Amino acid sequence: MRMLKIVAALLLLWCYGCRAGGTSSDLLPGVVVPDLELTDLDGKARRLSDYRGKVVLVNFWATGCTPCITEMPSLNALQSSLSGNDFTVIGVGVDDAVSELRSFQERLKIAFPVVNDREGYSLTIFKFSGVPESILIVREGRLVALRDPERGERVPRITGPREWHPPAVVLQIREAIERR
C-alpha cells in the first residue's frame, strides 16, 4: 500500500509539475473569476461567491507536493497577520481524500479554510500549471495581479512556493483589502 501511495505521489508530481511556470488560463487581471463550488472538510458546500466582500488568496496544493508543504507555514502566517481584516486564505486540496486532507491540515496546523477538489473542478476552471499555485481575488470577485515576491514582476497567478508574510507582500494584500 505504501508503494502505491509513493507511485501515486510521483504521478501527481509529474502531472501537476510542482513547478514554477507560465499559465494556460484565460483569466486575466480585472476579470471576474468563475464561481467554484467545493466541499470543506466537514462536507459543507463552499463557493467562491460566499467570500464576496472579502479579499481571498486561493492556494491550490497537493498533500504529496513538497513545495506545497514548505509554503504552508508562510500562508498560515499571512492568514494570522491579516485575519479580521476582510481577508482569508482558502486552501484547495486537489488530489486527496478528505481524511488525508484533514490529517494534512492537523499536522501542519493550517489555520484557514480548506476545501476538497479530488475531482479536479478547479483545474478545469483555473487551468493552473502546477502546485502550489495562488491567485488573489478582490471583494467583487475579480482577479488581481500581485507583484511576485520571487521574480518582482506583476502576475495574475503565482506558481511555486513563496514566502507570503514578508512586509512587502503583506502590504500588497493590505492595499487590496483597503480598496473599496
Side-chain angles (χ1 to χ4, degrees):
M1 188 62 167
R2 180 172 164 81
M3 183 57 114
L4 183 59
K5 282 189 173 191
I6 292 170
V7 170
L10 289 173
L11 282 173
L12 178 72
L13 291 175
W14 179 72
C15 291
Y16 285 108
C18 272
R19 66 186 188 283
T23 176
S24 60
S25 175
D26 295 331
L27 293 177
L28 298 172
V31 171
V32 174
V33 299
D35 204 7
L36 176 65
E37 182 178 322
L38 299 170
T39 56
D40 67 17
L41 301 186
D42 294 323
K44 183 177 179 186
R46 300 284 181 182
R47 299 179 73 92
L48 278 178
S49 59
D50 294 341
Y51 296 92
R52 291 277 163 87
K54 288 188 173 211
V55 173
V56 179
L57 182 74
V58 182
N59 179 257
F60 303 97
W61 49 270
T63 61
C65 169
T66 301
C68 301
I69 294 166
T70 302
E71 184 178 54
M72 285 298 153
S74 183
L75 287 166
N76 271 334
L78 179 67
Q79 175 70 31
S80 176
S81 68
L82 294 175
S83 66
N85 288 314
D86 293 331
F87 171 80
T88 193
V89 174
I90 298 175
V92 181
V94 298
D95 68 332
D96 296 297
V98 171
S99 60
E100 292 169 330
L101 293 173
R102 188 173 284 116
S103 173
F104 186 81
Q105 182 184 37
E106 290 169 2
R107 189 177 85 235
L108 295 176
K109 298 176 177 47
I110 297 173
F112 47 84
V114 173
V115 293
N116 183 11
D117 187 19
R118 191 171 189 176
E119 289 77 27
Y121 299 121
S122 59
L123 176 60
T124 301
I125 292 172
F126 294 101
K127 298 178 178 71
F128 48 88
S129 60
V131 292
E133 186 159 307
S134 300
I135 59 174
L136 187 68
I137 303 170
V138 292
R139 297 176 190 281
E140 60 279 351
R142 295 184 186 284
L143 180 71
V144 296
L146 281 172
R147 184 164 308 282
D148 185 327
E150 188 174 282
R151 299 189 318 210
E153 59 192 43
R154 292 188 73 76
V155 294
R157 58 182 66 225
I158 295 180
T159 303
R162 296 295 187 273
E163 290 296 323
W164 290 101
H165 61 282
V169 176
V170 173
L171 178 62
Q172 284 186 83
I173 296 173
R174 278 191 195 280
E175 288 172 351
I177 293 167
E178 291 170 5
R179 275 185 236 125
R180 295 248 175 212

Coordinates of all heavy atoms in Angstrom, one line a residue, residues 73-156:
P73 N 3.5 27.0 6.2 CA 3.7 27.9 7.4 C 3.6 29.4 7.0 O 3.1 30.2 7.8 CB 5.1 27.6 7.9 CG 5.3 26.2 7.4 CD 4.6 26.1 6.1
S74 N 4.1 29.8 5.8 CA 4.0 31.1 5.4 C 2.6 31.6 5.1 O 2.2 32.7 5.5 CB 4.9 31.3 4.1 OG 4.9 32.6 3.7
L75 N 1.8 30.7 4.6 CA 0.4 31.0 4.3 C -0.3 31.2 5.7 O -1.2 32.1 5.8 CB -0.3 29.9 3.5 CG 0.1 29.9 2.0 CD1 -0.3 28.6 1.4 CD2 -0.5 31.1 1.3
N76 N 0.0 30.3 6.6 CA -0.6 30.4 8.0 C -0.2 31.8 8.6 O -1.1 32.4 9.2 CB -0.1 29.3 8.9 CG -1.0 28.1 8.9 OD1 -2.1 28.2 8.6 ND2 -0.4 27.0 9.2
A77 N 1.0 32.2 8.4 CA 1.5 33.5 9.0 C 0.7 34.6 8.3 O 0.3 35.6 9.0 CB 3.0 33.7 8.8
L78 N 0.5 34.6 7.0 CA -0.3 35.6 6.3 C -1.7 35.6 6.8 O -2.2 36.7 7.2 CB -0.3 35.3 4.8 CG -1.1 36.3 4.0 CD1 -0.4 37.7 4.0 CD2 -1.2 35.8 2.5
Q79 N -2.3 34.5 7.0 CA -3.7 34.4 7.5 C -3.8 35.0 8.9 O -4.6 35.8 9.2 CB -4.2 33.0 7.5 CG -5.5 32.8 8.2 CD -6.7 33.3 7.3 OE1 -6.6 33.3 6.1 NE2 -7.7 33.8 8.0
S80 N -2.8 34.7 9.7 CA -2.8 35.2 11.1 C -2.6 36.7 11.1 O -3.3 37.4 11.9 CB -1.6 34.5 11.8 OG -1.5 35.0 13.1
S81 N -1.7 37.2 10.3 CA -1.4 38.6 10.3 C -2.6 39.5 9.8 O -2.7 40.7 10.1 CB -0.1 39.0 9.6 OG -0.2 38.8 8.2
L82 N -3.4 38.9 8.9 CA -4.5 39.7 8.2 C -5.8 39.2 8.7 O -6.8 39.8 8.1 CB -4.3 39.6 6.7 CG -3.1 40.3 6.1 CD1 -3.0 40.1 4.6 CD2 -3.1 41.8 6.5
S83 N -6.0 38.3 9.5 CA -7.3 37.8 10.0 C -8.0 38.9 10.6 O -7.5 39.8 11.3 CB -7.2 36.6 10.9 OG -6.6 37.0 12.1
G84 N -9.3 39.0 10.4 CA -10.2 40.1 10.9 C -10.1 41.3 10.0 O -10.7 42.3 10.4
N85 N -9.5 41.2 8.9 CA -9.4 42.4 8.0 C -10.1 42.1 6.7 O -9.6 42.6 5.7 CB -7.9 42.7 7.7 CG -7.2 43.3 8.9 OD1 -7.8 44.2 9.5 ND2 -6.0 42.9 9.2
D86 N -11.2 41.4 6.7 CA -11.9 41.1 5.5 C -11.0 40.4 4.5 O -11.0 40.6 3.3 CB -12.5 42.4 4.8 CG -13.6 43.0 5.6 OD1 -14.3 42.3 6.3 OD2 -13.7 44.2 5.5
F87 N -10.2 39.5 5.0 CA -9.3 38.7 4.2 C -9.3 37.2 4.7 O -9.5 36.9 5.9 CB -7.9 39.2 4.4 CG -6.8 38.3 3.8 CD1 -6.6 38.3 2.4 CD2 -6.1 37.4 4.6 CE1 -5.6 37.5 1.9 CE2 -5.1 36.6 4.0 CZ -4.9 36.6 2.7
T88 N -9.1 36.3 3.8 CA -8.9 34.9 4.1 C -8.1 34.2 3.0 O -8.1 34.6 1.9 CB -10.2 34.1 4.4 OG1 -9.9 32.9 5.0 CG2 -11.0 33.9 3.1
V89 N -7.3 33.2 3.4 CA -6.7 32.3 2.5 C -7.7 31.1 2.4 O -8.3 30.8 3.4 CB -5.3 31.8 3.1 CG1 -4.8 30.7 2.2 CG2 -4.3 32.9 3.3
I90 N -7.8 30.6 1.3 CA -8.6 29.4 1.1 C -7.7 28.3 0.4 O -7.1 28.6 -0.6 CB -9.8 29.5 0.2 CG1 -10.8 30.5 0.8 CG2 -10.5 28.2 -0.1 CD1 -12.0 30.9 -0.1
G91 N -7.5 27.2 1.1 CA -6.7 26.1 0.6 C -7.5 25.2 -0.2 O -8.5 24.7 0.3
V92 N -7.1 24.9 -1.5 CA -7.8 23.9 -2.3 C -6.9 22.7 -2.5 O -5.9 22.7 -3.2 CB -8.2 24.5 -3.7 CG1 -8.9 23.5 -4.5 CG2 -9.0 25.8 -3.5
G93 N -7.3 21.6 -1.8 CA -6.5 20.4 -1.9 C -7.0 19.7 -3.1 O -8.2 19.3 -3.2
V94 N -6.1 19.4 -4.1 CA -6.5 18.9 -5.4 C -6.4 17.4 -5.6 O -6.7 17.0 -6.7 CB -5.8 19.7 -6.5 CG1 -6.1 21.2 -6.5 CG2 -4.3 19.5 -6.5
D95 N -5.9 16.7 -4.7 CA -5.6 15.3 -5.0 C -6.0 14.2 -4.0 O -5.9 13.1 -4.3 CB -4.1 15.2 -5.3 CG -3.3 15.3 -4.0 OD1 -3.8 16.0 -3.1 OD2 -2.2 14.8 -3.9
D96 N -6.5 14.6 -2.9 CA -6.6 13.6 -1.8 C -8.0 13.5 -1.3 O -8.9 14.3 -1.5 CB -5.7 14.0 -0.6 CG -4.3 14.0 -1.0 OD1 -3.8 13.0 -1.4 OD2 -3.7 15.1 -1.0
A97 N -8.2 12.4 -0.6 CA -9.5 12.1 0.1 C -9.5 13.1 1.3 O -8.5 13.6 1.8 CB -9.5 10.7 0.6
V98 N -10.8 13.3 1.8 CA -11.0 14.2 2.9 C -10.1 13.8 4.1 O -9.6 14.7 4.8 CB -12.5 14.3 3.3 CG1 -12.7 15.0 4.6 CG2 -13.2 14.9 2.1
S99 N -10.0 12.5 4.4 CA -9.3 12.1 5.6 C -7.8 12.5 5.5 O -7.2 12.9 6.4 CB -9.4 10.5 5.8 OG -8.9 9.9 4.6
E100 N -7.2 12.4 4.3 CA -5.8 12.8 4.1 C -5.7 14.3 4.2 O -4.7 14.8 4.8 CB -5.3 12.3 2.7 CG -5.2 10.8 2.6 CD -5.0 10.3 1.2 OE1 -5.4 10.9 0.3 OE2 -4.4 9.2 1.1
L101 N -6.7 15.0 3.6 CA -6.6 16.5 3.8 C -6.7 16.9 5.2 O -6.0 17.8 5.7 CB -7.7 17.1 2.9 CG -7.6 17.0 1.4 CD1 -8.9 17.5 0.8 CD2 -6.4 17.7 0.9
R102 N -7.6 16.3 6.0 CA -7.8 16.6 7.4 C -6.5 16.3 8.2 O -6.1 17.1 9.0 CB -9.0 15.8 8.0 CG -9.3 16.3 9.4 CD -10.6 15.6 9.9 NE -11.7 16.2 9.3 CZ -12.6 15.6 8.5 NH1 -12.4 14.3 8.2 NH2 -13.6 16.2 8.0
S103 N -5.9 15.2 7.9 CA -4.6 14.8 8.5 C -3.5 15.9 8.2 O -2.8 16.3 9.1 CB -4.2 13.4 8.1 OG -2.9 13.1 8.6
F104 N -3.5 16.3 7.0 CA -2.5 17.3 6.5 C -2.8 18.6 7.2 O -1.8 19.3 7.7 CB -2.7 17.4 5.0 CG -1.7 18.3 4.3 CD1 -0.4 17.9 4.0 CD2 -2.1 19.6 3.9 CE1 0.5 18.7 3.3 CE2 -1.2 20.5 3.3 CZ 0.1 20.0 3.0
Q105 N -4.0 19.0 7.3 CA -4.4 20.2 8.0 C -4.0 20.2 9.4 O -3.5 21.2 9.9 CB -5.9 20.5 7.8 CG -6.4 21.8 8.5 CD -7.9 21.9 8.4 OE1 -8.6 21.0 8.6 NE2 -8.3 23.2 8.2
E106 N -4.3 19.1 10.1 CA -3.9 19.0 11.5 C -2.4 19.0 11.7 O -1.9 19.6 12.6 CB -4.5 17.7 12.1 CG -6.0 17.8 12.2 CD -6.7 16.5 12.5 OE1 -6.0 15.5 12.7 OE2 -8.0 16.5 12.6
R107 N -1.7 18.2 10.9 CA -0.2 18.1 11.0 C 0.5 19.4 10.8 O 1.4 19.8 11.5 CB 0.3 17.0 10.0 CG 1.7 16.7 10.2 CD 2.2 15.6 9.3 NE 2.6 16.2 8.0 CZ 2.2 15.9 6.8 NH1 1.3 14.9 6.7 NH2 2.6 16.5 5.8
L108 N 0.0 20.2 9.8 CA 0.6 21.5 9.5 C 0.0 22.7 10.2 O 0.4 23.8 10.0 CB 0.7 21.7 8.0 CG 1.5 20.7 7.3 CD1 1.4 20.9 5.8 CD2 3.0 20.8 7.7
K109 N -1.1 22.4 11.0 CA -1.8 23.4 11.8 C -2.3 24.5 10.9 O -2.1 25.7 11.2 CB -0.9 23.9 12.9 CG -0.5 22.9 13.9 CD 0.4 23.5 15.0 CE 0.8 22.5 16.1 NZ 1.2 21.2 15.7
I110 N -2.9 24.1 9.8 CA -3.4 25.1 8.8 C -4.6 25.8 9.5 O -5.6 25.2 9.9 CB -3.9 24.4 7.5 CG1 -2.6 23.7 6.9 CG2 -4.6 25.3 6.6 CD1 -3.0 22.8 5.7
A111 N -4.5 27.1 9.5 CA -5.4 28.0 10.2 C -6.5 28.7 9.3 O -7.1 29.6 9.7 CB -4.7 29.1 11.0
F112 N -6.6 28.2 8.0 CA -7.5 28.8 7.1 C -8.4 27.7 6.5 O -8.1 26.5 6.6 CB -6.8 29.6 6.0 CG -5.6 28.9 5.4 CD1 -5.9 28.0 4.3 CD2 -4.3 29.1 5.8 CE1 -4.8 27.3 3.7 CE2 -3.3 28.4 5.2 CZ -3.5 27.5 4.2
P113 N -9.5 28.1 5.9 CA -10.4 27.1 5.3 C -9.8 26.2 4.3 O -9.0 26.7 3.4 CB -11.6 27.9 4.7 CG -11.5 29.3 5.3 CD -10.0 29.5 5.7
V114 N -10.1 25.0 4.3 CA -9.6 24.0 3.3 C -10.8 23.3 2.6 O -11.7 22.9 3.3 CB -8.7 23.0 4.0 CG1 -8.3 21.9 3.0 CG2 -7.4 23.6 4.6
V115 N -10.7 23.3 1.3 CA -11.8 22.6 0.6 C -11.2 21.5 -0.3 O -10.0 21.5 -0.6 CB -12.6 23.5 -0.3 CG1 -13.4 24.5 0.5 CG2 -11.7 24.3 -1.3
N116 N -12.0 20.5 -0.6 CA -11.5 19.3 -1.3 C -11.9 19.4 -2.8 O -13.1 19.6 -3.1 CB -12.2 18.1 -0.6 CG -11.7 16.8 -1.2 OD1 -10.8 16.7 -2.0 ND2 -12.4 15.7 -0.9
D117 N -10.9 19.1 -3.6 CA -11.2 19.1 -5.1 C -10.6 17.9 -5.7 O -9.8 18.0 -6.6 CB -10.7 20.4 -5.7 CG -11.2 20.4 -7.2 OD1 -12.1 19.7 -7.6 OD2 -10.6 21.2 -8.0
R118 N -10.9 16.7 -5.2 CA -10.3 15.5 -5.7 C -10.7 15.2 -7.1 O -10.0 14.6 -7.9 CB -10.8 14.3 -4.8 CG -10.0 13.1 -5.1 CD -10.3 12.0 -4.1 NE -9.4 10.9 -4.3 CZ -9.4 9.9 -3.5 NH1 -10.2 9.8 -2.4 NH2 -8.6 8.9 -3.7
E119 N -11.9 15.8 -7.6 CA -12.4 15.5 -8.9 C -11.7 16.5 -9.9 O -11.9 16.3 -11.1 CB -13.9 15.7 -9.0 CG -14.6 14.5 -8.3 CD -14.6 14.7 -6.8 OE1 -14.5 15.8 -6.2 OE2 -14.7 13.6 -6.1
G120 N -11.0 17.5 -9.5 CA -10.3 18.4 -10.5 C -11.1 19.5 -11.1 O -10.7 20.0 -12.1
Y121 N -12.2 19.9 -10.4 CA -13.0 21.0 -11.0 C -12.2 22.3 -11.1 O -12.3 23.0 -12.0 CB -14.2 21.3 -10.1 CG -15.2 20.1 -10.0 CD1 -15.5 19.5 -8.8 CD2 -15.7 19.6 -11.2 CE1 -16.4 18.4 -8.8 CE2 -16.6 18.5 -11.1 CZ -16.9 17.9 -9.9 OH -17.8 16.8 -9.8
S122 N -11.3 22.6 -10.1 CA -10.6 23.8 -10.1 C -9.6 23.8 -11.2 O -9.3 24.9 -11.9 CB -9.9 24.1 -8.8 OG -9.0 23.0 -8.4
L123 N -9.0 22.7 -11.5 CA -8.1 22.6 -12.7 C -8.8 22.9 -14.0 O -8.3 23.6 -14.8 CB -7.4 21.2 -12.7 CG -6.5 21.0 -13.9 CD1 -5.3 21.9 -13.9 CD2 -6.0 19.5 -13.9
T124 N -10.0 22.4 -14.1 CA -10.8 22.7 -15.3 C -11.1 24.2 -15.5 O -11.0 24.7 -16.5 CB -12.1 21.9 -15.3 OG1 -11.8 20.5 -15.2 CG2 -13.0 22.2 -16.5
I125 N -11.4 24.8 -14.3 CA -11.8 26.2 -14.4 C -10.6 27.1 -14.5 O -10.5 28.0 -15.3 CB -12.7 26.6 -13.1 CG1 -14.0 25.9 -13.2 CG2 -12.8 28.1 -13.0 CD1 -14.9 26.0 -12.0
F126 N -9.6 26.9 -13.6 CA -8.5 27.8 -13.5 C -7.3 27.4 -14.3 O -6.3 28.2 -14.4 CB -8.1 28.0 -12.0 CG -9.2 28.7 -11.2 CD1 -10.1 28.0 -10.4 CD2 -9.4 30.0 -11.3 CE1 -11.1 28.6 -9.7 CE2 -10.4 30.7 -10.7 CZ -11.2 30.0 -9.9
K127 N -7.2 26.2 -14.8 CA -6.1 25.7 -15.6 C -4.8 26.0 -15.1 O -3.9 26.5 -15.8 CB -6.3 26.3 -17.0 CG -7.6 25.8 -17.7 CD -7.7 26.4 -19.1 CE -9.0 26.0 -19.8 NZ -10.2 26.5 -19.3
F128 N -4.6 25.8 -13.8 CA -3.3 26.1 -13.2 C -2.2 25.1 -13.8 O -2.6 24.0 -14.2 CB -3.3 26.1 -11.7 CG -4.0 24.9 -11.0 CD1 -3.3 23.8 -10.7 CD2 -5.3 25.0 -10.7 CE1 -3.9 22.7 -10.1 CE2 -5.9 23.9 -10.0 CZ -5.2 22.8 -9.8
S129 N -1.0 25.6 -13.8 CA 0.1 24.8 -14.4 C 0.9 24.0 -13.5 O 1.8 23.4 -13.9 CB 0.9 25.8 -15.2 OG 1.5 26.8 -14.4
G130 N 0.7 24.1 -12.2 CA 1.5 23.4 -11.2 C 0.9 23.7 -9.8 O 0.1 24.6 -9.7
V131 N 1.4 23.0 -8.9 CA 1.1 23.2 -7.5 C 2.4 23.4 -6.7 O 3.3 22.7 -7.1 CB 0.2 22.1 -6.9 CG1 -1.2 22.1 -7.5 CG2 0.8 20.8 -6.9
P132 N 2.4 24.3 -5.8 CA 1.3 25.2 -5.4 C 1.2 26.3 -6.4 O 2.1 26.7 -7.1 CB 1.8 25.7 -4.0 CG 3.3 25.7 -4.1 CD 3.6 24.5 -4.9
E133 N 0.0 26.8 -6.5 CA -0.3 28.0 -7.3 C -1.4 28.8 -6.5 O -2.3 28.3 -5.9 CB -0.8 27.6 -8.6 CG -1.0 28.8 -9.6 CD -1.0 28.4 -11.0 OE1 -0.1 27.7 -11.5 OE2 -2.0 28.8 -11.7
S134 N -1.2 30.1 -6.6 CA -2.1 31.0 -5.8 C -2.6 32.2 -6.7 O -1.9 32.7 -7.6 CB -1.3 31.6 -4.6 OG -0.9 30.6 -3.8
I135 N -3.8 32.6 -6.4 CA -4.4 33.7 -7.1 C -5.1 34.6 -6.0 O -5.5 34.1 -5.0 CB -5.5 33.3 -8.2 CG1 -6.6 32.5 -7.6 CG2 -4.8 32.6 -9.3 CD1 -7.8 32.2 -8.5
L136 N -5.1 35.9 -6.3 CA -5.7 36.8 -5.4 C -7.0 37.4 -6.0 O -7.0 37.9 -7.1 CB -4.8 38.0 -5.0 CG -5.3 38.9 -3.9 CD1 -5.3 38.2 -2.6 CD2 -4.4 40.2 -3.8
I137 N -8.1 37.3 -5.3 CA -9.4 37.7 -5.7 C -9.9 38.8 -4.8 O -9.9 38.6 -3.6 CB -10.4 36.6 -5.7 CG1 -9.9 35.4 -6.6 CG2 -11.8 37.0 -6.2 CD1 -10.7 34.1 -6.5
V138 N -10.3 40.0 -5.3 CA -10.7 41.1 -4.5 C -12.2 41.0 -4.3 O -12.9 40.1 -4.8 CB -10.3 42.4 -5.1 CG1 -8.8 42.6 -5.0 CG2 -10.8 42.6 -6.5
R139 N -12.7 41.9 -3.5 CA -14.1 41.9 -3.0 C -15.2 41.6 -4.0 O -16.1 40.8 -3.7 CB -14.4 43.2 -2.3 CG -13.5 43.5 -1.1 CD -13.8 44.9 -0.6 NE -12.8 45.3 0.4 CZ -12.8 44.8 1.7 NH1 -13.7 44.0 2.1 NH2 -11.9 45.2 2.5
E140 N -15.1 42.1 -5.2 CA -16.2 41.9 -6.1 C -16.0 40.7 -7.0 O -16.7 40.5 -8.0 CB -16.4 43.2 -7.0 CG -15.2 43.6 -7.8 CD -14.2 44.4 -7.0 OE1 -14.4 44.8 -5.9 OE2 -13.1 44.6 -7.6
G141 N -15.0 39.9 -6.6 CA -14.7 38.6 -7.3 C -13.8 38.7 -8.5 O -13.7 37.8 -9.3
R142 N -13.1 39.8 -8.6 CA -12.1 40.0 -9.7 C -10.7 39.5 -9.3 O -10.3 39.7 -8.2 CB -12.1 41.5 -10.1 CG -13.4 41.9 -10.7 CD -13.3 43.4 -11.2 NE -14.6 43.9 -11.5 CZ -15.3 43.5 -12.6 NH1 -14.7 42.7 -13.5 NH2 -16.5 44.0 -12.9
L143 N -10.1 38.9 -10.3 CA -8.7 38.5 -10.2 C -7.8 39.8 -10.3 O -8.0 40.6 -11.1 CB -8.3 37.6 -11.3 CG -6.9 37.0 -11.3 CD1 -6.7 36.0 -10.2 CD2 -6.7 36.3 -12.7
V144 N -6.8 39.9 -9.4 CA -5.9 41.0 -9.4 C -4.5 40.4 -9.5 O -4.2 39.3 -9.1 CB -6.0 41.9 -8.2 CG1 -7.3 42.6 -8.2 CG2 -5.7 41.2 -6.9
A145 N -3.6 41.2 -10.2 CA -2.2 40.8 -10.3 C -1.5 41.2 -9.0 O -1.8 42.2 -8.4 CB -1.6 41.6 -11.5
L146 N -0.5 40.4 -8.6 CA 0.3 40.6 -7.5 C 1.8 40.7 -8.0 O 2.1 40.1 -9.0 CB 0.3 39.4 -6.5 CG -0.9 39.3 -5.6 CD1 -0.8 38.0 -4.9 CD2 -0.9 40.5 -4.6
R147 N 2.6 41.5 -7.3 CA 4.0 41.5 -7.6 C 4.6 40.2 -7.0 O 4.5 40.0 -5.8 CB 4.7 42.7 -7.0 CG 6.1 42.8 -7.4 CD 6.7 44.2 -7.2 NE 6.0 45.3 -7.8 CZ 6.0 45.6 -9.1 NH1 6.7 44.9 -9.9 NH2 5.3 46.6 -9.5
D148 N 5.1 39.4 -7.8 CA 5.6 38.1 -7.4 C 6.8 38.4 -6.5 O 7.8 39.0 -7.0 CB 6.1 37.3 -8.6 CG 6.5 35.9 -8.3 OD1 7.1 35.7 -7.2 OD2 6.3 35.0 -9.1
P149 N 6.8 37.9 -5.3 CA 7.9 38.2 -4.4 C 9.2 37.6 -4.8 O 10.3 38.1 -4.4 CB 7.5 37.7 -3.0 CG 6.4 36.7 -3.3 CD 5.8 37.2 -4.6
E150 N 9.2 36.6 -5.6 CA 10.4 36.0 -6.1 C 11.0 36.6 -7.3 O 12.2 36.9 -7.5 CB 10.2 34.5 -6.3 CG 11.4 33.7 -6.6 CD 11.1 32.3 -6.7 OE1 11.0 31.6 -5.6 OE2 11.1 31.7 -7.8
R151 N 10.1 37.0 -8.3 CA 10.6 37.5 -9.6 C 10.4 39.0 -9.7 O 11.0 39.6 -10.7 CB 9.8 36.8 -10.7 CG 10.1 35.3 -10.7 CD 9.5 34.5 -11.9 NE 8.2 34.9 -12.3 CZ 7.3 34.1 -12.9 NH1 7.6 32.9 -13.1 NH2 6.2 34.6 -13.2
G152 N 9.6 39.6 -8.9 CA 9.5 41.1 -8.9 C 8.5 41.6 -9.9 O 8.2 42.8 -9.9
E153 N 8.0 40.8 -10.8 CA 7.0 41.3 -11.8 C 5.6 41.0 -11.3 O 5.3 40.2 -10.5 CB 7.3 40.6 -13.1 CG 7.1 39.1 -13.1 CD 7.7 38.4 -14.3 OE1 8.8 38.8 -14.8 OE2 7.0 37.5 -14.8
R154 N 4.7 41.8 -11.9 CA 3.2 41.7 -11.6 C 2.7 40.5 -12.4 O 2.9 40.5 -13.6 CB 2.5 43.0 -11.8 CG 2.9 44.1 -10.8 CD 2.0 45.3 -10.9 NE 0.7 45.1 -10.4 CZ 0.4 45.1 -9.1 NH1 1.3 45.2 -8.2 NH2 -0.8 44.9 -8.7
V155 N 2.0 39.6 -11.8 CA 1.5 38.4 -12.4 C 0.1 38.1 -11.9 O -0.2 38.4 -10.8 CB 2.4 37.2 -12.2 CG1 3.7 37.4 -12.9 CG2 2.6 36.9 -10.8
P156 N -0.8 37.5 -12.7 CA -2.1 37.2 -12.3 C -2.2 36.0 -11.4 O -3.2 35.7 -10.7 CB -2.9 37.0 -13.6 CG -1.9 36.6 -14.6 CD -0.6 37.3 -14.2

